[in-house]
Amino acid sequence: MKFTRTSLRGVPVAAATALAILAAPSAQAETEAPINIVINQSPWLEGFANVVDLYEEQTGNKVSLDVNPYAGSLEKQRNAVRAAESEYDILIVNGIFYPEMYQGGFLEPLTDIDPEFKLDPQIYTFDDTLWYDGKTKTVNRETGDLLTIPVNPNITMMFYRADLYEKYGLEIPETWDQLLANAKVIQEKEGIVGMMQRAARAAISISWDYWPYMNSYGGSLFRDESNGDFFVTLNSPESLEALKMYLKIANEVGPPNPAAMDQATLIQYLVTGQAAHAILPVAAQSQMDDPNKSAVVGKIGYMNLPHAPGHDSAPAIGHWLAGVPKNIPDENKKAALAFLSWFQKPETQIAYAEMGGSPVSAAAYESDFADKPENRYMITMRKALPTARRMWTIPEGAEIVAVTEVGLNRAVAGEISAVEALNSMAAEIEKIMRDAGYKTGRLPDLTE
Amino acid sequence: MAMLKASRRVKLFTVLPALLFLVLLSVLPLANLLALSFAKVTWAEGSATWTWEGLANYRALAEDALFKAGIVNTLILVVSATTLQVGLGLGLALICSRLGRSAKAYRTLFLLPILVPGIIIGAIWKLMYNTQFGVINQLLGLVGLGPFDWLGSSTLALASVIAVDVWHWTPFSFLLLLAAVEALPRDVFEAAQIDGAGSWRTFRRIVLPLLWPAIFTTFVFRAIIAFKVFDEVYLLTGGGPGTSTQVISFTIYQRFFVQDSAGYGAAMSIFVMFLVALVIGVAMTSQKARSR
């Protein structure tokens, strides 16, 4: 595998066990055209790079990874699909921005490349976000085309200090209030931060962190998006309760200046033993038990996200999807699909997990590998995945997230109240939707 | 007469390539940006559609909280950072001009920050500002102060970014003003010395008036560059917390690129260019009036 603009340090570790499992004759002759994948820098990149190495080893085909920061990767993808010919053969698209790729008509339906292609039945379909119906402009498994294959299952989980839970006899919390109480106990007794939240502004940060709160209080962005009802309900009493709880946790058991906390800082606090809880994407687990990076090896446990009484846990989907651009030569499309077909196989998915990746197939989560103590996150994932919910499925997502990132962050920073934040965000989102031609509206303003 | 006409033609012919370059590299892109500012761009079936929006993009600016925060913070940054940079640059230039042989070494030293790429400056200062292990908090800790969350606190973040900007760009002012200081006529100072003028009086009555055009030009140049500040904010704070360090370039970046609202981003860009041109125009006019 060739890296361009790589920021990875060191050579990806070849997983000997995985190679043994997939002991195909090594260094086969190249049968497909070389492909170029554009991908973002992330905690799960190393695992993905390892599985790409394995593909090259087994098939002899060549794959290059163009690794970029999050926003840079998105910009490169937009430029590539809007050019006469894309320089990338596979786009690794984020679960927030994929609708614009779908709606823009930039991705080739996978069965148009090979009519025989079928999605492996064990691959998770993440609220059916792999299919898109261009006529009705909706995510729809029944009537839509299969446009992507998931490559990473990023949903959020609660990372917590299992050793401190045992020390103080704490029970796994079901509700946010119980979580707050546990965080207070640990904060008082240990002098560490009770709970870290990803409240900083970024391309997508605090929105993804807040969404599970909102969902688990019964709030929503739109009244009924699945059925085409885009009436804005972000400023509902349920959303307000959720935001108040988010702020309460930030202010009572969070770090100083919680509005500046990004994902890297959350991980830093956890691995240095300075935080009791943090909501993080599953991919961050790879750093928790790494003795070179962590002072809390073996001490971190994983649990489903809490919820409000009477509601279900509802982590937000922030998965990554691999799609093939329309504007590349046919032989490259074929080569890209060959890689994706190989990637979705159950045995590849198990190898992907063994090499530090985050698999997207039930085959991996239900394998013996998942039951090993060091892979304890997989047990939590198994329970959490079916409850995960998508944030939105419309191409205006990029505009919406720009609004929610600022509004929510301003509330955490204390610039505006929770009510002002929700009212102003709802008004801005209503305008975005109206300008885009949707039939919309919004709830009456909340009052203080 | 014929000779004069021919000469004019030759002149026109010789500047034509330069004019063409100007049109190609400046006028056309700006015209394209201007046209885009009246449109909305949507993508479907792999191709773009421009829809005429009239002044809607410009009207939307008035309701954009991020735009307003960007303008306010940028003005604060431009005024405070530029004033400090010109003041410090002038001070360093005056000191350097009196150092004799060792001036060269100091000049090189003072210029170092401007040679450092923005991305490295971001890394250096992010580490120095770190609440837990940053050298600034460690030093303050020695005298019982802090730790402070320089980049995470709404009240400190903008000042922290301004401090980095001052560190980065003071050498620019220093360089321009040093050239001006070294070009000052020596005989005026000798005459002042003979007349018994002290250092402060010489500075106020001779140095400052003589240097004023250079100080003004430096201020305007620096202000224009400061208006475009982006990398320091992008790398250090991302505009937050809240909107405390949101600057206008960063707002344009978010609207134009991340949010992919090309028409609206273009309108914002045109408005900002107009604003900068206006400020420069007012400054130049007042300077001309002052010189008269």
Side-chain angles (χ1 to χ4, degrees):
Chain A
M1 171 187 52
K2 192 177 83 184
F3 274 101
T4 53
R5 296 174 190 237
T6 177
S7 359
L8 274 186
R9 287 191 207 111
V11 181
V13 182
T17 48
L19 287 171
I21 291 166
L22 299 167
S26 63
Q28 289 191 350
E30 185 176 332
T31 54
E32 302 285 353
I35 57 170
N36 193 10
I37 301 177
V38 59
I39 192 168
N40 65 301
Q41 178 65 271
S42 70
W44 55 275
L45 174 64
E46 194 168 321
F48 187 78
N50 289 340
V51 90
V52 166
D53 281 344
L54 185 61
Y55 176 70
E56 290 188 325
E57 177 76 21
Q58 285 193 356
T59 64
N61 297 327
K62 296 281 174 266
V63 179
S64 305
L65 292 182
D66 186 347
V67 182
N68 304 275
Y70 186 101
S73 185
L74 175 64
E75 199 52 35
K76 281 192 170 183
Q77 291 177 27
R78 283 174 175 158
N79 288 340
V81 296
R82 294 169 186 180
E85 183 175 321
S86 167
E87 61 182 303
Y88 304 113
D89 307 303
I90 293 180
L91 311 176
I92 306 296
V93 193
N94 178 260
I96 307 302
F97 294 99
Y98 72 91
E100 74 171 71
M101 290 293 169
Y102 288 6
Q103 164 82 9
F106 298 121
L107 301 182
E108 189 77 87
L110 300 180
T111 47
D112 284 4
I113 302 170
D114 176 6
E116 300 299 312
F117 179 78
K118 284 201 169 41
L119 187 71
D120 186 275
Q122 295 194 82
I123 291 285
Y124 292 114
T125 59
F126 298 93
D127 224 356
D128 293 346
T129 48
L130 319 185
W131 291 268
Y132 189 71
D133 184 336
K135 286 180 190 141
T136 58
K137 296 180 181 173
T138 52
V139 165
N140 192 318
R141 185 177 189 155
E142 306 305 321
T143 60
D145 292 316
L146 177 64
L147 292 181
T148 52
I149 285 186
V151 291
N152 179 280
N154 256 9
I155 63 166
T156 44
M157 296 192 300
M158 183 69 75
F159 289 50
Y160 72 102
R161 285 288 298 274
D163 59 323
L164 299 180
Y165 265 62
E166 197 178 329
K167 184 176 174 184
Y168 298 113
L170 301 173
E171 287 186 12
I172 299 293
E174 281 293 320
T175 67
W176 296 108
D177 284 308
Q178 289 166 357
L179 168 76
L180 180 61
N182 286 356
K184 275 183 181 165
V185 169
I186 298 177
Q187 182 163 290
E188 280 164 19
K189 294 192 185 290
E190 294 286 321
I192 62 176
V193 175
M195 166 77 178
M196 296 291 291
Q197 291 165 304
R198 188 176 158 175
R201 275 174 53 191
I204 169 89
S205 176
I206 185 171
S207 308
W208 196 36
D209 209 47
Y210 166 69
W211 239 247
Y213 285 76
M214 183 179 73
N215 285 335
S216 75
Y217 271 86
S220 60
L221 174 62
F222 300 117
R223 194 157 49 196
D224 189 3
E225 187 186 350
S226 300
N227 290 308
D229 184 349
F230 293 100
F231 186 88
V232 179
T233 52
L234 183 62
N235 57 333
S236 66
E238 292 82 8
S239 298
L240 179 60
E241 284 305 304
L243 186 52
K244 280 182 175 170
M245 176 53 79
Y246 190 86
L247 297 177
K248 191 174 180 184
I249 288 176
N251 295 326
E252 292 185 12
V253 291
N257 300 316
M261 298 296 129
D262 57 13
Q263 179 173 294
T265 313
L266 263 63
I267 293 173
Q268 182 193 325
Y269 267 75
L270 261 189
V271 296
T272 53
Q274 296 178 76
H277 303 87
I279 296 179
L280 282 166
V282 60
Q285 61 78 27
S286 62
Q287 302 187 37
M288 299 299 135
D289 287 348
D290 181 346
N292 295 318
K293 295 175 180 169
S294 174
V296 288
V297 173
K299 294 177 179 173
I300 298 292
Y302 307 94
M303 61 168 103
N304 280 5
L305 297 187
H307 51 84
H311 292 275
D312 293 327
S313 171
I317 296 176
H319 58 330
W320 292 84
L321 301 158
V324 180
K326 274 187 176 163
N327 58 341
I328 57 172
D330 286 347
E331 63 168 338
N332 291 52
K333 288 178 188 172
K334 196 171 142 280
L337 189 63
F339 173 75
L340 295 178
S341 300
W342 175 86
F343 179 80
Q344 65 161 353
K345 287 180 182 172
E347 58 269 33
T348 308
Q349 288 293 308
I350 293 169
Y352 186 29
E354 290 184 350
M355 288 185 286
S358 302
V360 289
S361 169
Y365 292 96
E366 286 164 11
S367 69
D368 294 343
F369 181 77
D371 293 327
K372 293 179 182 171
E374 63 270 29
N375 304 319
R376 56 200 178 280
Y377 79 94
M378 295 180 82
I379 307 294
T380 309
M381 277 292 281
R382 206 153 62 193
K383 292 181 209 152
L385 272 166
T387 67
R389 292 177 36 193
R390 60 197 184 199
M391 291 179 75
W392 46 69
T393 60
I394 48 173
E396 288 72 23
E399 290 177 76
I400 291 170
V401 74
V403 169
T404 55
E405 285 292 302
V406 175
L408 293 168
N409 181 253
R410 289 182 76 195
V412 177
E415 281 186 16
I416 50 177
S417 69
V419 167
E420 283 175 279
L422 291 171
N423 285 341
S424 62
M425 287 188 291
E428 286 184 63
I429 293 168
E430 183 197 10
K431 184 178 180 305
I432 289 169
M433 299 304 287
R434 180 167 294 124
D435 289 351
Y438 292 87
K439 191 180 167 194
T440 184
R442 74 184 148 102
L443 291 172
D445 277 353
L446 293 159
T447 50
E448 296 282 357
Chain B
M1 195 64 187
M3 286 261 300
L4 194 64
K5 271 188 182 168
S7 161
R8 274 187 188 155
R9 257 185 245 126
V10 169
K11 276 181 189 167
L12 193 67
F13 188 72
T14 50
V15 296
L16 202 59
L19 271 175
L20 278 174
F21 269 115
L22 184 73
V23 169
L24 272 175
L25 299 179
S26 300
V27 180
L28 276 183
L30 278 177
N32 191 45
L33 191 72
L34 185 66
L36 187 60
S37 73
F38 298 109
K40 180 174 182 167
V41 182
T42 48
W43 289 84
E45 297 302 315
S47 56
T49 309
W50 284 40
T51 315
W52 173 255
E53 291 277 297
L55 290 172
N57 287 331
Y58 288 94
R59 278 197 293 270
L61 291 175
E63 295 164 19
D64 188 339
L66 215 52
F67 173 71
K68 287 183 211 163
I71 289 284
V72 171
N73 288 333
T74 305
L75 289 175
I76 293 171
L77 187 141
V78 167
V79 172
S80 54
T82 307
T83 306
L84 284 167
Q85 285 156 8
V86 173
L88 286 170
L90 178 62
L92 290 174
L94 290 169
I95 292 168
C96 213
S97 68
R98 293 178 179 202
L99 286 176
R101 282 187 175 181
S102 56
K104 231 178 191 175
Y106 278 99
R107 197 183 305 169
T108 311
L109 196 68
F110 292 155
L111 286 177
L112 275 179
I114 208 171
L115 304 175
V116 182
I119 187 79
I120 296 174
I121 288 176
I124 291 171
W125 282 89
K126 196 142 191 170
L127 285 173
M128 285 177 36
Y129 276 143
N130 189 286
T131 315
Q132 293 168 306
F133 52 78
V135 68
I136 297 174
N137 276 327
Q138 284 180 359
L139 288 174
L140 289 173
L142 296 177
V143 291
L145 295 173
F148 299 101
D149 192 351
W150 299 102
L151 300 173
S153 154
S154 297
T155 47
L156 290 175
L158 185 60
S160 304
V161 171
I162 290 171
V164 176
D165 194 75
V166 170
W167 178 83
H168 186 188
W169 286 104
T170 293
F172 177 86
S173 305
F174 163 70
L175 204 61
L176 293 188
L177 292 169
L178 182 64
V181 167
E182 286 182 343
L184 288 174
R186 298 285 151 202
D187 52 344
V188 180
F189 292 98
E190 284 162 13
Q193 210 169 9
I194 291 164
D195 290 345
S199 301
W200 173 242
R201 204 178 162 89
T202 307
F203 176 73
R204 251 190 73 200
R205 300 286 182 191
I206 300 174
V207 176
L208 263 188
L210 286 175
L211 281 181
W212 178 251
I215 291 171
F216 177 79
T217 308
T218 305
F219 193 94
V220 172
F221 276 2
R222 243 328 283 155
I224 293 168
I225 299 171
F227 220 96
K228 296 189 283 190
V229 64
F230 176 81
D231 48 359
E232 287 148 6
V233 171
Y234 180 77
L235 294 165
L236 292 173
T237 62
T243 52
S244 59
T245 59
Q246 187 75 31
V247 290
I248 194 62
S249 300
F250 195 65
T251 307
I252 294 173
Y253 163 73
Q254 285 177 302
R255 298 295 190 227
F256 205 123
F257 294 99
V258 181
Q259 204 172 314
D260 204 26
S261 302
Y264 182 56
M268 200 178 276
S269 309
I270 293 286
F271 181 87
V272 170
M273 282 164 61
F274 174 76
L275 192 68
V276 174
L278 188 73
V279 170
I280 295 169
V282 169
M284 299 301 272
T285 311
S286 66
Q287 168 64 5
K288 268 185 194 164
R290 190 189 155 100
S291 335
R292 277 192 217 121

